[in-house]
Amino acid sequence: MGMTQVYNAIYQYLTPENSNITYLSTVYPALPKVSSEGDLFSFIPAGTGVGAIIYMFVANKSETRIALGGPHDGRKWVPYTMSLLCVMKSDLAQASDGQVAFNQFIDSLTRSIRANRNAGDADVIFSWGEGGVNGGVDIEFDFPVPKTAQGGVMLFQAVCKVQVVEVAHS
């Protein structure tokens, strides 16, 4: 398979139409040069006051020879760290309400990753959110400090790092 298929499988799995992740409006399979603020709310009912975007990028990739089928079966264990840059905007009156909404978004994203160990495409992804061949971190989040923008709007961010494994035939 390869990186293109891995990206496509995860992108399809995460789109708001397929994932039902709370407050998620848009998923970008790459960091765009320019994105519109309207993308934060494109899939969210009017008046909700919060909306989120996910930008996907691979932070690293490696390969290790494995012999799942014996000495003549050339396969490669190909782990990726798929990073999901999550940005949520809250127009809610209270900062604490925005934090609650952001926590709900993160919990919903985590449940979505846990729900299907191959991101809906077993032909491409052996596993995701399951750690590596010898265990390890399944899902990891980094949270920068939330920011207040003009007009009291709160911006929340996270980088979700998910272990994705492809078994490639070589």
Side-chain angles (χ1 to χ4, degrees):
M1 291 295 145
M3 242 167 112
T4 300
Q5 290 83 4
V6 168
Y7 262 93
N8 290 341
I10 293 173
Y11 171 76
Q12 288 302 319
Y13 184 75
L14 289 176
T15 59
E17 300 85 356
N18 295 328
S19 68
N20 202 28
I21 295 171
T22 305
Y23 301 125
L24 180 63
S25 285
T26 306
V27 177
Y28 286 103
L31 295 167
K33 289 182 180 182
V34 177
S35 63
S36 167
E37 183 179 358
D39 292 346
L40 285 159
F41 303 103
S42 64
F43 204 75
I44 302 298
T48 302
V50 294
I53 294 176
I54 293 175
Y55 302 99
M56 299 170 46
F57 63 96
V58 169
N60 61 50
K61 173 188 170 189
S62 61
E63 294 189 9
T64 304
R65 167 106 25 229
I66 55 175
L68 289 176
H72 303 292
D73 185 19
R75 295 187 191 180
K76 293 272 190 157
W77 181 263
V78 186
Y80 301 79
T81 299
M82 177 62 75
S83 294
L84 307 173
L85 173 59
C86 305
V87 178
M88 190 182 90
K89 178 182 177 187
S90 168
D91 291 333
L92 300 174
Q94 299 295 318
S96 59
D97 293 337
Q99 184 66 60
V100 168
F102 183 66
N103 293 347
Q104 291 169 338
F105 165 72
I106 294 298
D107 289 344
S108 185
L109 172 59
T110 302
R111 280 191 303 274
S112 183
I113 294 167
R114 290 176 184 160
N116 191 310
R117 64 174 282 164
N118 58 31
D121 194 339
D123 292 333
V124 174
I125 296 175
F126 178 76
S127 69
W128 86 314
E130 296 287 324
V133 68
N134 295 319
V137 176
D138 298 340
I139 305 168
E140 178 181 352
F141 284 93
D142 293 322
F143 301 102
V145 175
K147 296 174 177 54
T148 303
Q150 291 180 343
V153 172
M154 294 293 297
L155 296 174
F156 299 90
Q157 293 184 343
V159 177
C160 174
K161 300 171 197 156
V162 183
Q163 177 80 308
V164 180
V165 177
E166 168 194 17
V167 175
H169 297 273
S170 54

